[in-house]
PDB file of all heavy atoms in Angstrom:
ATOM      1  N   ASP A   1      87.063  80.279  98.294  1.00 91.00           N
ATOM      2  CA  ASP A   1      87.074  78.828  98.498  1.00 91.00           C
ATOM      3  C   ASP A   1      87.887  78.138  97.403  1.00 91.00           C
ATOM      4  O   ASP A   1      88.659  77.203  97.671  1.00 91.00           O
ATOM      5  CB  ASP A   1      85.647  78.279  98.510  1.00 91.00           C
ATOM      6  CG  ASP A   1      84.878  78.669  99.763  1.00 91.00           C
ATOM      7  OD1 ASP A   1      85.518  79.139 100.722  1.00 91.00           O
ATOM      8  OD2 ASP A   1      83.644  78.523  99.766  1.00 91.00           O
ATOM      9  N   VAL A   2      87.706  78.597  96.180  1.00 94.00           N
ATOM     10  CA  VAL A   2      88.472  78.050  95.052  1.00 94.00           C
ATOM     11  C   VAL A   2      89.956  78.337  95.234  1.00 94.00           C
ATOM     12  O   VAL A   2      90.811  77.466  95.057  1.00 94.00           O
ATOM     13  CB  VAL A   2      87.977  78.661  93.725  1.00 94.00           C
ATOM     14  CG1 VAL A   2      88.869  78.232  92.580  1.00 94.00           C
ATOM     15  CG2 VAL A   2      86.536  78.265  93.457  1.00 94.00           C
ATOM     16  N   ALA A   3      90.272  79.581  95.591  1.00 96.00           N
ATOM     17  CA  ALA A   3      91.665  79.990  95.754  1.00 96.00           C
ATOM     18  C   ALA A   3      92.364  79.155  96.822  1.00 96.00           C
ATOM     19  O   ALA A   3      93.510  78.726  96.649  1.00 96.00           O
ATOM     20  CB  ALA A   3      91.725  81.476  96.111  1.00 96.00           C
ATOM     21  N   ALA A   4      91.661  78.911  97.943  1.00 95.00           N
ATOM     22  CA  ALA A   4      92.248  78.142  99.034  1.00 95.00           C
ATOM     23  C   ALA A   4      92.512  76.695  98.628  1.00 95.00           C
ATOM     24  O   ALA A   4      93.462  76.068  99.111  1.00 95.00           O
ATOM     25  CB  ALA A   4      91.338  78.191 100.253  1.00 95.00           C
ATOM     26  N   GLU A   5      91.681  76.143  97.759  1.00 95.00           N
ATOM     27  CA  GLU A   5      91.912  74.790  97.274  1.00 95.00           C
ATOM     28  C   GLU A   5      93.131  74.731  96.358  1.00 95.00           C
ATOM     29  O   GLU A   5      93.902  73.771  96.385  1.00 95.00           O
ATOM     30  CB  GLU A   5      90.680  74.279  96.536  1.00 95.00           C
ATOM     31  CG  GLU A   5      89.490  73.976  97.445  1.00 95.00           C
ATOM     32  CD  GLU A   5      88.295  73.454  96.664  1.00 95.00           C
ATOM     33  OE1 GLU A   5      88.459  73.156  95.460  1.00 95.00           O
ATOM     34  OE2 GLU A   5      87.206  73.338  97.259  1.00 95.00           O
ATOM     35  N   LEU A   6      93.312  75.756  95.537  1.00 96.00           N
ATOM     36  CA  LEU A   6      94.424  75.766  94.589  1.00 96.00           C
ATOM     37  C   LEU A   6      95.756  76.036  95.276  1.00 96.00           C
ATOM     38  O   LEU A   6      96.780  75.447  94.918  1.00 96.00           O
ATOM     39  CB  LEU A   6      94.181  76.820  93.502  1.00 96.00           C
ATOM     40  CG  LEU A   6      93.040  76.523  92.534  1.00 96.00           C
ATOM     41  CD1 LEU A   6      92.788  77.714  91.626  1.00 96.00           C
ATOM     42  CD2 LEU A   6      93.360  75.286  91.690  1.00 96.00           C
ATOM     43  N   ILE A   7      95.753  76.938  96.270  1.00 97.00           N
ATOM     44  CA  ILE A   7      96.983  77.270  96.993  1.00 97.00           C
ATOM     45  C   ILE A   7      96.663  77.205  98.487  1.00 97.00           C
ATOM     46  O   ILE A   7      96.369  78.225  99.120  1.00 97.00           O
ATOM     47  CB  ILE A   7      97.528  78.654  96.590  1.00 97.00           C
ATOM     48  CG1 ILE A   7      97.682  78.749  95.072  1.00 97.00           C
ATOM     49  CG2 ILE A   7      98.876  78.913  97.270  1.00 97.00           C
ATOM     50  CD1 ILE A   7      98.234  80.073  94.580  1.00 97.00           C
ATOM     51  N   PRO A   8      96.713  76.012  99.073  1.00 95.00           N
ATOM     52  CA  PRO A   8      96.270  75.837 100.461  1.00 95.00           C
ATOM     53  C   PRO A   8      97.057  76.655 101.481  1.00 95.00           C
ATOM     54  O   PRO A   8      96.534  76.990 102.545  1.00 95.00           O
ATOM     55  CB  PRO A   8      96.452  74.334 100.703  1.00 95.00           C
ATOM     56  CG  PRO A   8      96.437  73.714  99.336  1.00 95.00           C
ATOM     57  CD  PRO A   8      97.061  74.734  98.439  1.00 95.00           C
ATOM     58  N   ASN A   9      98.322  76.964 101.184  1.00 94.00           N
ATOM     59  CA  ASN A   9      99.147  77.692 102.141  1.00 94.00           C
ATOM     60  C   ASN A   9      98.962  79.206 102.062  1.00 94.00           C
ATOM     61  O   ASN A   9      99.599  79.944 102.820  1.00 94.00           O
ATOM     62  CB  ASN A   9     100.628  77.350 101.937  1.00 94.00           C
ATOM     63  CG  ASN A   9     100.948  75.915 102.357  1.00 94.00           C
ATOM     64  OD1 ASN A   9     100.303  75.371 103.247  1.00 94.00           O
ATOM     65  ND2 ASN A   9     101.931  75.316 101.712  1.00 94.00           N
ATOM     66  N   ALA A  10      98.132  79.668 101.153  1.00 96.00           N
ATOM     67  CA  ALA A  10      97.902  81.106 101.043  1.00 96.00           C
ATOM     68  C   ALA A  10      97.138  81.604 102.264  1.00 96.00           C
ATOM     69  O   ALA A  10      96.421  80.853 102.934  1.00 96.00           O
ATOM     70  CB  ALA A  10      97.118  81.410  99.771  1.00 96.00           C
ATOM     71  N   SER A  11      97.299  82.888 102.541  1.00 95.00           N
ATOM     72  CA  SER A  11      96.553  83.525 103.623  1.00 95.00           C
ATOM     73  C   SER A  11      95.269  84.117 103.053  1.00 95.00           C
ATOM     74  O   SER A  11      95.288  84.779 102.011  1.00 95.00           O
ATOM     75  CB  SER A  11      97.409  84.638 104.245  1.00 95.00           C
ATOM     76  OG  SER A  11      96.676  85.364 105.214  1.00 95.00           O
ATOM     77  N   ILE A  12      94.137  83.855 103.718  1.00 95.00           N
ATOM     78  CA  ILE A  12      92.850  84.414 103.305  1.00 95.00           C
ATOM     79  C   ILE A  12      92.530  85.570 104.252  1.00 95.00           C
ATOM     80  O   ILE A  12      92.321  85.348 105.449  1.00 95.00           O
ATOM     81  CB  ILE A  12      91.726  83.365 103.338  1.00 95.00           C
ATOM     82  CG1 ILE A  12      92.133  82.109 102.561  1.00 95.00           C
ATOM     83  CG2 ILE A  12      90.437  83.964 102.780  1.00 95.00           C
ATOM     84  CD1 ILE A  12      92.353  82.323 101.089  1.00 95.00           C
ATOM     85  N   GLN A  13      92.513  86.788 103.736  1.00 95.00           N
ATOM     86  CA  GLN A  13      92.301  87.972 104.566  1.00 95.00           C
ATOM     87  C   GLN A  13      91.047  88.694 104.077  1.00 95.00           C
ATOM     88  O   GLN A  13      91.056  89.343 103.039  1.00 95.00           O
ATOM     89  CB  GLN A  13      93.538  88.878 104.529  1.00 95.00           C
ATOM     90  CG  GLN A  13      94.775  88.163 105.065  1.00 95.00           C
ATOM     91  CD  GLN A  13      96.008  89.040 105.158  1.00 95.00           C
ATOM     92  OE1 GLN A  13      95.957  90.231 104.917  1.00 95.00           O
ATOM     93  NE2 GLN A  13      97.128  88.427 105.521  1.00 95.00           N
ATOM     94  N   HIS A  14      89.978  88.566 104.841  1.00 93.00           N
ATOM     95  CA  HIS A  14      88.682  89.092 104.435  1.00 93.00           C
ATOM     96  C   HIS A  14      88.589  90.597 104.650  1.00 93.00           C
ATOM     97  O   HIS A  14      89.074  91.128 105.647  1.00 93.00           O
ATOM     98  CB  HIS A  14      87.566  88.407 105.220  1.00 93.00           C
ATOM     99  CG  HIS A  14      87.545  86.921 105.079  1.00 93.00           C
ATOM    100  ND1 HIS A  14      88.276  86.092 105.888  1.00 93.00           N
ATOM    101  CD2 HIS A  14      86.874  86.109 104.216  1.00 93.00           C
ATOM    102  CE1 HIS A  14      88.069  84.828 105.538  1.00 93.00           C
ATOM    103  NE2 HIS A  14      87.217  84.814 104.530  1.00 93.00           N
ATOM    104  N   VAL A  15      87.949  91.244 103.700  1.00 93.00           N
ATOM    105  CA  VAL A  15      87.581  92.652 103.871  1.00 93.00           C
ATOM    106  C   VAL A  15      86.081  92.756 103.600  1.00 93.00           C
ATOM    107  O   VAL A  15      85.558  92.128 102.683  1.00 93.00           O
ATOM    108  CB  VAL A  15      88.376  93.590 102.937  1.00 93.00           C
ATOM    109  CG1 VAL A  15      89.848  93.577 103.307  1.00 93.00           C
ATOM    110  CG2 VAL A  15      88.210  93.203 101.472  1.00 93.00           C
ATOM    111  N   GLY A  16      85.392  93.533 104.435  1.00 89.00           N
ATOM    112  CA  GLY A  16      83.941  93.598 104.320  1.00 89.00           C
ATOM    113  C   GLY A  16      83.449  95.014 104.156  1.00 89.00           C
ATOM    114  O   GLY A  16      83.858  95.922 104.883  1.00 89.00           O
ATOM    115  N   MET A  17      82.585  95.194 103.188  1.00 84.00           N
ATOM    116  CA  MET A  17      81.922  96.483 103.001  1.00 84.00           C
ATOM    117  C   MET A  17      80.608  96.237 102.284  1.00 84.00           C
ATOM    118  O   MET A  17      80.459  95.269 101.548  1.00 84.00           O
ATOM    119  CB  MET A  17      82.809  97.463 102.228  1.00 84.00           C
ATOM    120  CG  MET A  17      83.143  97.060 100.810  1.00 84.00           C
ATOM    121  SD  MET A  17      84.444  98.077 100.084  1.00 84.00           S
ATOM    122  CE  MET A  17      85.905  97.282 100.770  1.00 84.00           C
ATOM    123  N   TYR A  18      79.648  97.118 102.521  1.00 80.00           N
ATOM    124  CA  TYR A  18      78.403  97.057 101.779  1.00 80.00           C
ATOM    125  C   TYR A  18      78.223  98.372 101.035  1.00 80.00           C
ATOM    126  O   TYR A  18      78.825  99.394 101.375  1.00 80.00           O
ATOM    127  CB  TYR A  18      77.209  96.776 102.698  1.00 80.00           C
ATOM    128  CG  TYR A  18      76.908  97.850 103.718  1.00 80.00           C
ATOM    129  CD1 TYR A  18      76.081  98.931 103.399  1.00 80.00           C
ATOM    130  CD2 TYR A  18      77.427  97.782 105.006  1.00 80.00           C
ATOM    131  CE1 TYR A  18      75.809  99.911 104.336  1.00 80.00           C
ATOM    132  CE2 TYR A  18      77.152  98.758 105.935  1.00 80.00           C
ATOM    133  CZ  TYR A  18      76.341  99.825 105.594  1.00 80.00           C
ATOM    134  OH  TYR A  18      76.075 100.796 106.511  1.00 80.00           O
ATOM    135  N   ARG A  19      77.399  98.325 100.015  1.00 77.00           N
ATOM    136  CA  ARG A  19      77.204  99.510  99.185  1.00 77.00           C
ATOM    137  C   ARG A  19      76.000 100.300  99.666  1.00 77.00           C
ATOM    138  O   ARG A  19      74.906  99.756  99.805  1.00 77.00           O
ATOM    139  CB  ARG A  19      77.007  99.101  97.720  1.00 77.00           C
ATOM    140  CG  ARG A  19      76.829 100.291  96.787  1.00 77.00           C
ATOM    141  CD  ARG A  19      76.819  99.861  95.346  1.00 77.00           C
ATOM    142  NE  ARG A  19      75.700  98.987  95.023  1.00 77.00           N
ATOM    143  CZ  ARG A  19      75.462  98.522  93.803  1.00 77.00           C
ATOM    144  NH1 ARG A  19      76.286  98.810  92.816  1.00 77.00           N
ATOM    145  NH2 ARG A  19      74.431  97.734  93.583  1.00 77.00           N
ATOM    146  N   ASP A  20      76.208 101.565  99.948  1.00 78.00           N
ATOM    147  CA  ASP A  20      75.098 102.467 100.250  1.00 78.00           C
ATOM    148  C   ASP A  20      74.244 102.590  98.993  1.00 78.00           C
ATOM    149  O   ASP A  20      74.731 103.030  97.947  1.00 78.00           O
ATOM    150  CB  ASP A  20      75.629 103.834 100.683  1.00 78.00           C
ATOM    151  CG  ASP A  20      74.530 104.771 101.151  1.00 78.00           C
ATOM    152  OD1 ASP A  20      73.634 105.087 100.331  1.00 78.00           O
ATOM    153  OD2 ASP A  20      74.573 105.224 102.304  1.00 78.00           O
ATOM    154  N   GLU A  21      72.996 102.169  99.062  1.00 76.00           N
ATOM    155  CA  GLU A  21      72.149 102.108  97.872  1.00 76.00           C
ATOM    156  C   GLU A  21      71.776 103.487  97.326  1.00 76.00           C
ATOM    157  O   GLU A  21      71.273 103.595  96.205  1.00 76.00           O
ATOM    158  CB  GLU A  21      70.877 101.310  98.173  1.00 76.00           C
ATOM    159  CG  GLU A  21      71.140  99.828  98.444  1.00 76.00           C
ATOM    160  CD  GLU A  21      71.803  99.121  97.278  1.00 76.00           C
ATOM    161  OE1 GLU A  21      71.549  99.507  96.114  1.00 76.00           O
ATOM    162  OE2 GLU A  21      72.597  98.199  97.523  1.00 76.00           O
ATOM    163  N   ILE A  22      72.023 104.541  98.101  1.00 77.00           N
ATOM    164  CA  ILE A  22      71.731 105.897  97.617  1.00 77.00           C
ATOM    165  C   ILE A  22      72.971 106.524  96.978  1.00 77.00           C
ATOM    166  O   ILE A  22      72.929 106.998  95.844  1.00 77.00           O
ATOM    167  CB  ILE A  22      71.205 106.783  98.765  1.00 77.00           C
ATOM    168  CG1 ILE A  22      69.883 106.220  99.279  1.00 77.00           C
ATOM    169  CG2 ILE A  22      71.029 108.242  98.285  1.00 77.00           C
ATOM    170  CD1 ILE A  22      69.337 106.958 100.485  1.00 77.00           C
ATOM    171  N   THR A  23      74.089 106.475  97.694  1.00 80.00           N
ATOM    172  CA  THR A  23      75.308 107.113  97.181  1.00 80.00           C
ATOM    173  C   THR A  23      76.145 106.168  96.323  1.00 80.00           C
ATOM    174  O   THR A  23      77.010 106.622  95.576  1.00 80.00           O
ATOM    175  CB  THR A  23      76.179 107.604  98.342  1.00 80.00           C
ATOM    176  OG1 THR A  23      76.663 106.466  99.086  1.00 80.00           O
ATOM    177  CG2 THR A  23      75.394 108.516  99.264  1.00 80.00           C
ATOM    178  N   LEU A  24      75.877 104.853  96.450  1.00 74.00           N
ATOM    179  CA  LEU A  24      76.645 103.797  95.787  1.00 74.00           C
ATOM    180  C   LEU A  24      78.085 103.745  96.285  1.00 74.00           C
ATOM    181  O   LEU A  24      78.941 103.112  95.665  1.00 74.00           O
ATOM    182  CB  LEU A  24      76.626 103.953  94.251  1.00 74.00           C
ATOM    183  CG  LEU A  24      75.249 103.955  93.591  1.00 74.00           C
ATOM    184  CD1 LEU A  24      75.395 104.016  92.074  1.00 74.00           C
ATOM    185  CD2 LEU A  24      74.438 102.728  93.995  1.00 74.00           C
ATOM    186  N   LYS A  25      78.375 104.388  97.406  1.00 82.00           N
ATOM    187  CA  LYS A  25      79.711 104.373  97.994  1.00 82.00           C
ATOM    188  C   LYS A  25      79.841 103.196  98.969  1.00 82.00           C
ATOM    189  O   LYS A  25      78.871 102.785  99.612  1.00 82.00           O
ATOM    190  CB  LYS A  25      79.991 105.680  98.735  1.00 82.00           C
ATOM    191  CG  LYS A  25      79.942 106.915  97.842  1.00 82.00           C
ATOM    192  CD  LYS A  25      81.019 106.888  96.786  1.00 82.00           C
ATOM    193  CE  LYS A  25      81.011 108.167  95.952  1.00 82.00           C
ATOM    194  NZ  LYS A  25      82.035 108.127  94.870  1.00 82.00           N
ATOM    195  N   PRO A  26      81.062 102.662  99.126  1.00 81.00           N
ATOM    196  CA  PRO A  26      81.243 101.531 100.043  1.00 81.00           C
ATOM    197  C   PRO A  26      81.260 101.979 101.497  1.00 81.00           C
ATOM    198  O   PRO A  26      81.786 103.048 101.821  1.00 81.00           O
ATOM    199  CB  PRO A  26      82.608 100.966  99.626  1.00 81.00           C
ATOM    200  CG  PRO A  26      83.344 102.144  99.061  1.00 81.00           C
ATOM    201  CD  PRO A  26      82.302 102.994  98.388  1.00 81.00           C
ATOM    202  N   VAL A  27      80.680 101.161 102.357  1.00 85.00           N
ATOM    203  CA  VAL A  27      80.681 101.403 103.802  1.00 85.00           C
ATOM    204  C   VAL A  27      81.398 100.218 104.455  1.00 85.00           C
ATOM    205  O   VAL A  27      80.935  99.078 104.378  1.00 85.00           O
ATOM    206  CB  VAL A  27      79.248 101.526 104.355  1.00 85.00           C
ATOM    207  CG1 VAL A  27      79.293 101.761 105.856  1.00 85.00           C
ATOM    208  CG2 VAL A  27      78.493 102.646 103.651  1.00 85.00           C
ATOM    209  N   TRP A  28      82.529 100.490 105.092  1.00 86.00           N
ATOM    210  CA  TRP A  28      83.327  99.424 105.697  1.00 86.00           C
ATOM    211  C   TRP A  28      82.654  98.869 106.949  1.00 86.00           C
ATOM    212  O   TRP A  28      82.080  99.613 107.732  1.00 86.00           O
ATOM    213  CB  TRP A  28      84.713  99.946 106.081  1.00 86.00           C
ATOM    214  CG  TRP A  28      85.657 100.108 104.936  1.00 86.00           C
ATOM    215  CD1 TRP A  28      85.847 101.224 104.161  1.00 86.00           C
ATOM    216  CD2 TRP A  28      86.550  99.124 104.409  1.00 86.00           C
ATOM    217  NE1 TRP A  28      86.791 100.995 103.202  1.00 86.00           N
ATOM    218  CE2 TRP A  28      87.252  99.712 103.334  1.00 86.00           C
ATOM    219  CE3 TRP A  28      86.825  97.803 104.765  1.00 86.00           C
ATOM    220  CZ2 TRP A  28      88.213  99.020 102.597  1.00 86.00           C
ATOM    221  CZ3 TRP A  28      87.789  97.103 104.039  1.00 86.00           C
ATOM    222  CH2 TRP A  28      88.462  97.722 102.965  1.00 86.00           C
ATOM    223  N   TYR A  29      82.746  97.551 107.135  1.00 86.00           N
ATOM    224  CA  TYR A  29      82.300  96.957 108.384  1.00 86.00           C
ATOM    225  C   TYR A  29      83.242  95.863 108.882  1.00 86.00           C
ATOM    226  O   TYR A  29      83.084  95.367 109.996  1.00 86.00           O
ATOM    227  CB  TYR A  29      80.877  96.396 108.271  1.00 86.00           C
ATOM    228  CG  TYR A  29      80.724  95.217 107.327  1.00 86.00           C
ATOM    229  CD1 TYR A  29      80.923  93.907 107.757  1.00 86.00           C
ATOM    230  CD2 TYR A  29      80.352  95.418 106.003  1.00 86.00           C
ATOM    231  CE1 TYR A  29      80.771  92.833 106.904  1.00 86.00           C
ATOM    232  CE2 TYR A  29      80.190  94.348 105.137  1.00 86.00           C
ATOM    233  CZ  TYR A  29      80.404  93.055 105.591  1.00 86.00           C
ATOM    234  OH  TYR A  29      80.263  92.000 104.726  1.00 86.00           O
ATOM    235  N   TYR A  30      84.268  95.483 108.084  1.00 84.00           N
ATOM    236  CA  TYR A  30      85.172  94.417 108.502  1.00 84.00           C
ATOM    237  C   TYR A  30      86.499  94.550 107.782  1.00 84.00           C
ATOM    238  O   TYR A  30      86.538  94.859 106.575  1.00 84.00           O
ATOM    239  CB  TYR A  30      84.554  93.050 108.198  1.00 84.00           C
ATOM    240  CG  TYR A  30      85.276  91.881 108.844  1.00 84.00           C
ATOM    241  CD1 TYR A  30      85.136  91.634 110.203  1.00 84.00           C
ATOM    242  CD2 TYR A  30      86.081  91.040 108.098  1.00 84.00           C
ATOM    243  CE1 TYR A  30      85.787  90.559 110.808  1.00 84.00           C
ATOM    244  CE2 TYR A  30      86.733  89.960 108.686  1.00 84.00           C
ATOM    245  CZ  TYR A  30      86.581  89.725 110.041  1.00 84.00           C
ATOM    246  OH  TYR A  30      87.220  88.669 110.630  1.00 84.00           O
ATOM    247  N   ASP A  31      87.603  94.320 108.520  1.00 85.00           N
ATOM    248  CA  ASP A  31      88.937  94.396 107.924  1.00 85.00           C
ATOM    249  C   ASP A  31      89.850  93.433 108.669  1.00 85.00           C
ATOM    250  O   ASP A  31      90.206  93.668 109.814  1.00 85.00           O
ATOM    251  CB  ASP A  31      89.471  95.827 108.018  1.00 85.00           C
ATOM    252  CG  ASP A  31      90.916  95.960 107.520  1.00 85.00           C
ATOM    253  OD1 ASP A  31      91.434  94.975 106.958  1.00 85.00           O
ATOM    254  OD2 ASP A  31      91.502  97.040 107.702  1.00 85.00           O
ATOM    255  N   LYS A  32      90.188  92.316 108.019  1.00 85.00           N
ATOM    256  CA  LYS A  32      91.036  91.299 108.637  1.00 85.00           C
ATOM    257  C   LYS A  32      92.453  91.372 108.065  1.00 85.00           C
ATOM    258  O   LYS A  32      93.113  90.351 107.868  1.00 85.00           O
ATOM    259  CB  LYS A  32      90.425  89.906 108.427  1.00 85.00           C
ATOM    260  CG  LYS A  32      91.026  88.814 109.330  1.00 85.00           C
ATOM    261  CD  LYS A  32      90.926  89.131 110.795  1.00 85.00           C
ATOM    262  CE  LYS A  32      91.472  87.987 111.643  1.00 85.00           C
ATOM    263  NZ  LYS A  32      91.479  88.320 113.078  1.00 85.00           N
TER     264      LYS A  32
END
């Protein structure tokens, strides 16, 4: 949100992952 205010013409490309609480490894669920 801060970045978009500072540079409004920038592209915001979300990446989503959560951490497996046992292995501590990332699990992907979103890639824009």
Side-chain angles (χ1 to χ4, degrees):
D1 289 347
V2 173
E5 289 181 10
L6 291 173
I7 307 181
N9 290 330
S11 174
I12 308 296
Q13 299 185 5
H14 303 87
V15 294
M17 64 192 82
Y18 64 87
R19 181 173 63 178
D20 186 299
E21 293 300 328
I22 297 175
T23 66
L24 302 184
K25 299 296 183 182
V27 179
W28 283 91
Y29 66 88
Y30 192 75
D31 175 9
K32 195 57 177 176

